[in-house]
Amino acid sequence: MTLSDEELERYARQIVLPQVGGVGQRRLRGARIAVIGAGGIGSAVVPALAGAGVGTLTIIDSDVVEISNLHRQPLFGESDSGKSKAQLASDFVRRLNRFVEVVPLRERIDRENAAVLLPGHDLVIDGSDNFATRLAVSDACVKHETPLISAAAVQFQGQVGLFRSRPCYRCFVGDAFDADDCDNCAELGVLGALTGTVGSFAALLAINTIVGVDEDQAGKLHLFDGAKLEWRAIRIPPHPRCKACGSA
Ligand SMILES: [Zn+2]
């Protein structure tokens, strides 16, 4: 797979990076990434990955745009109210970069469709807004050995982590939230600058993962305090009795 002259010009400022180069750019072009949630985090993830030249993006979101989304979801404008986020985000990608194949899926991810829709991707990025979806996504990624980047932002707190089978996201949060839609932005509030920060971090982690910049990110959770403006990282220990990735 060679890069065309047009691609070499388009991606020149990242191909010149020694960590990327032509090899890394071809890896990006060959990558298939699923982005779950075209909300605040997705609004940062999707442009960054499309701009970087990720070959295939699947954008999964069942929601339509509401006016209260616009403060944190710059993929959309006022005239988009009531329209499908997955479709609009895909239209954005097509305008930005015709070298990216984009697949909009207007679905809400649950246990059943996660097992069908997520396999076949090299990486899943979950920026959804509830634990039931996050755990369904995580369990499917463990089962199919698909790397998962989980990203969340609420109030002034953000978190981003890469999970490769074990430890998994469920090792971190436990089993209490499987059927629970608690803890989302509608109730707790969030700033657009925070979701943008966390989403951009998740996109950078995704690009590094595909290119192979740092192989030691799996199982590490990055926590952002948007009030103190500080990042810190913790290691997630594998839970011995995790019902997704544990030996039991
Ligand atoms: Zn686990």
Side-chain angles (χ1 to χ4, degrees), residues 4-5 14 35 39 44 55 60 75 108 131 136 139-140 148 228 239 245:
S4 66
D5 289 346
Q14 64 190 39
V35 180
I60 308 171
L75 279 178
R108 184 176 174 86
F131 282 113
D139 291 353
L148 167 66
K228 291 182 179 170
H239 194 291
C245 75

Side-chain angles (χ1 to χ4, degrees), residues 14 17-21 23-25 27-28 31 33 48-49 52 54 122-123 125 147 149 160 162 164 199-218 220 222:
Q14 64 190 39
L17 295 167
Q19 296 91 337
V20 179
V23 172
Q25 192 62 54
R27 283 179 183 160
L28 288 169
I33 298 182
L49 297 187
V54 169
D122 301 300
L123 179 68
I125 303 178
I149 291 176
V160 186
L162 170 66
R164 288 187 191 271
S200 290
F201 190 109
L204 180 58
L205 178 56
I207 290 167
N208 286 358
T209 300
I210 296 296
V211 171
V213 171
D214 180 359
E215 303 292 353
D216 189 35
Q217 286 294 328
K220 197 191 279 184
H222 299 269

